[in-house]
Amino acid sequence: MTAKTDMAGSPAHPFLDGPIASKILRLAAPGLLGSLLQSVLFVADGWFVGRLGSLTLAGVALVFPLFVLSVMFSAGAMGGAVVAATARALGAKDRDAAGALVRTALILAALGGLFSAVVVWLFGPALFRVLGGEGAILQIALDYAAVLFPGIVLVWLFNMLASLMRGSGDMLRPSLGLGVIVLVHCIAASLLVTGAGPVPSLGIKGAPLSILIGYGAGCLYLATYLFRIKRPEWVQLGGPIRWQQVLVVGRRGAFASVQSALTIAMAMIVTGYMARIGPQSLAGYGIGVRLELILIPIIFAFGSASIAIGGVCVGAGLRARALRVSWIGSGFAALFVGLIGTVLAIMPWLWSGLFTDNADIAATTALYLRIVGPAYTFFGLGLCLYFASQAMNSLIWPVAGAGMRLAVLLAGGALLLEQTTLSEITVFMLVAGAMATYGLFNALTLRLGPWRR
């Protein structure tokens, strides 16, 4: 049997016909492996930090959302723009544009890493204080951030290289790269955080240093594949820089970053609420929200598959097929993370037990999971629709949806502060309601607006 060809006689792209659901699942499977490995990285970091005590967990809870924000910026927002641009270029068979995106991605990695480091250097300490950090907790947050963010460019570089691969339909190697990161991080953390043999313990500073060492190894792995002698034919490291392309992709990624910034802002606002209740509540919420942030890479597995397939379809002029890809991929994401949230709502000790044996902290985490866990269904739906919108160039409504979620948290929190004393249960109910608002808003506005047939 011969392969299908287009009218010009060249092989047709495999994303342009055939069953959509099976293609999404096939592409998402390596992404889910990568998401699992990303989750293992976050859990491992929390486990090593947890061995240093509950105050250390509380201090890192102030910084951890900023680290995840850098991951979201570089992988989901700016990275998503690179995935979509690469997929559209290859779908349109414009290999020169795809090759130029290699240089564009490297430039964006350098600029994004520098921007992240400078922002945390200038505003991080004040932000930690606003969120309730003081005394030993504040010092722990400052020590952790002082090591992590000067090297955050390694996180950006890894995710830019991975985005180029995802845009070409290669979901496996980025996941294997995450495996390299996790393995090297765990080895480094076991030596640097608690010390082993002749290696002295660096305490809290060893945890972020281990993350950077792991990402450095992951960058080396992906770069070895992309820039080897027999590299993929569309990869062109040399050549002129297309500054117009840098501007367009960067602008789209920057706009998409608003969604990521709002997501982390929401986590940090709730962090501020919990700090008002007490350090044990803050530590318990820090463990609970770590799950939400860990679910983002899982949603991104379906989202990146939707971007890759949908982007190729858009590039080839098949918009109706791209829309079907977006809805099916978002449905899978909602189902998958909703199931995870529901299981942990029923058995919260499966999660809290990974980080602490403190009964009070575990009780707060359990309460969070019982109330918020089922609402992850809406979170998965809304966030995957945002990712899919990058391929469809329809980001305005999903970003507005993140703004709606933030508005619910701010308005509800202001009302609670005015009328009653903050309690864990009222804060967590507010978080769940904001998630439901987000998912429903994105689905309805896209269906009735830019995605209507």
Side-chain angles (χ1 to χ4, degrees):
M1 179 179 293
T2 58
K4 291 185 178 180
T5 60
D6 60 18
M7 293 184 67
S10 58
H13 199 290
F15 293 167
L16 298 180
D17 59 12
I20 291 174
S22 60
K23 292 181 187 296
I24 290 177
L25 290 175
R26 189 161 58 248
L27 277 188
L32 288 173
L33 172 61
S35 301
L36 175 62
L37 292 170
Q38 183 79 73
S39 301
V40 170
L41 175 66
F42 291 164
V43 171
D45 179 67
W47 185 81
F48 283 110
V49 168
R51 295 182 68 183
L52 299 176
S54 59
L55 285 181
T56 306
L57 273 173
V60 172
L62 298 176
V63 186
F64 187 73
L66 293 178
F67 167 55
V68 178
L69 180 61
S70 291
V71 175
M72 291 173 66
F73 276 171
S74 55
M78 200 67 70
V82 171
V83 173
T86 304
R88 284 194 293 265
L90 294 177
K93 300 188 177 180
D94 188 347
R95 297 192 180 277
D96 288 339
L101 278 164
V102 176
R103 278 102 64 191
T104 293
L106 296 178
I107 292 171
L108 293 176
L111 294 176
L114 178 63
F115 176 78
S116 299
V118 170
V119 167
V120 174
W121 176 58
L122 291 176
F123 304 110
L127 178 61
F128 301 149
R129 291 185 180 93
V130 168
L131 293 175
E134 57 185 20
I137 291 177
L138 175 61
Q139 189 58 53
I140 289 168
L142 293 174
D143 290 343
Y144 191 92
V147 175
L148 179 62
F149 282 93
I152 203 70
V153 67
L154 293 172
V155 176
W156 276 83
L157 179 58
F158 175 84
N159 284 321
M160 287 292 100
L161 296 176
S163 295
L164 290 168
M165 293 182 179
R166 292 187 180 108
S168 70
D170 185 352
M171 304 293 176
L172 179 59
R173 284 184 180 82
S175 298
L176 296 178
L178 281 167
V180 171
I181 292 173
V182 170
L183 177 62
V184 174
H185 166 262
C186 289
I187 294 172
S190 64
L191 296 174
L192 299 177
V193 176
T194 56
V199 180
S201 169
L202 297 181
I204 189 56
K205 294 183 178 180
L209 181 58
S210 302
I211 290 176
L212 295 179
I213 292 173
Y215 269 98
C219 289
L220 182 61
Y221 171 80
L222 294 188
T224 300
Y225 168 75
L226 269 179
F227 306 129
R228 70 191 192 279
I229 294 176
K230 294 183 178 180
R231 59 181 177 269
E233 62 179 13
W234 63 271
V235 175
Q236 303 170 18
L237 182 58
I241 296 172
R242 294 190 181 184
W243 291 107
Q244 181 64 26
Q245 185 187 71
V246 174
L247 180 62
V248 170
V249 176
R251 184 172 61 241
R252 289 174 178 169
F255 184 69
S257 296
V258 174
Q259 154 82 30
S260 303
L262 291 175
T263 298
I264 297 303
M266 287 175 261
M268 301 199 78
I269 286 169
V270 180
T271 296
Y273 292 159
M274 300 307 292
R276 290 172 177 263
I277 299 174
Q280 301 293 332
S281 296
L282 174 60
Y285 170 70
I287 294 173
V289 77
R290 190 175 283 255
L291 174 63
E292 177 185 334
L293 300 177
I294 282 173
L295 289 178
I296 291 173
I298 296 177
I299 300 168
F300 181 64
F302 293 102
S304 60
S306 299
I307 295 173
I309 301 174
V312 168
C313 293
V314 170
L318 302 178
R319 184 176 182 275
R321 182 175 174 84
L323 284 173
R324 292 197 299 274
V325 168
S326 300
W327 286 117
I328 293 172
S330 299
F332 280 140
L335 180 64
F336 200 91
V337 299
L339 180 61
I340 293 174
T342 302
V343 168
L344 292 178
I346 297 171
M347 297 177 285
W349 62 88
L350 293 176
W351 183 250
S352 62
L354 296 174
F355 302 96
T356 185
D357 55 5
N358 182 296
D360 292 333
I361 295 176
T364 298
T365 303
L367 182 63
Y368 171 87
L369 292 173
R370 290 189 180 111
I371 295 175
V372 179
Y376 285 145
T377 303
F378 299 101
F379 180 57
L381 175 64
L383 189 57
C384 195
L385 288 172
Y386 150 77
F387 287 130
S389 291
Q390 290 180 304
M392 302 298 301
N393 284 329
S394 56
L395 277 171
I396 292 177
W397 286 114
V399 171
M404 285 289 294
R405 183 183 172 197
L406 178 62
V408 169
L409 281 176
L410 287 174
L415 186 64
L416 290 173
L417 287 170
E418 180 180 339
Q419 295 187 358
T420 185
T421 302
L422 282 177
S423 67
E424 293 178 352
I425 189 168
T426 55
V427 171
F428 295 158
M429 289 178 67
L430 183 61
V431 171
M435 278 188 183
T437 300
Y438 172 61
L440 293 174
F441 180 91
N442 282 4
L444 289 174
T445 53
L446 287 171
R447 178 64 183 85
L448 299 176
W451 288 10
R452 67 177 181 272
R453 293 295 182 86

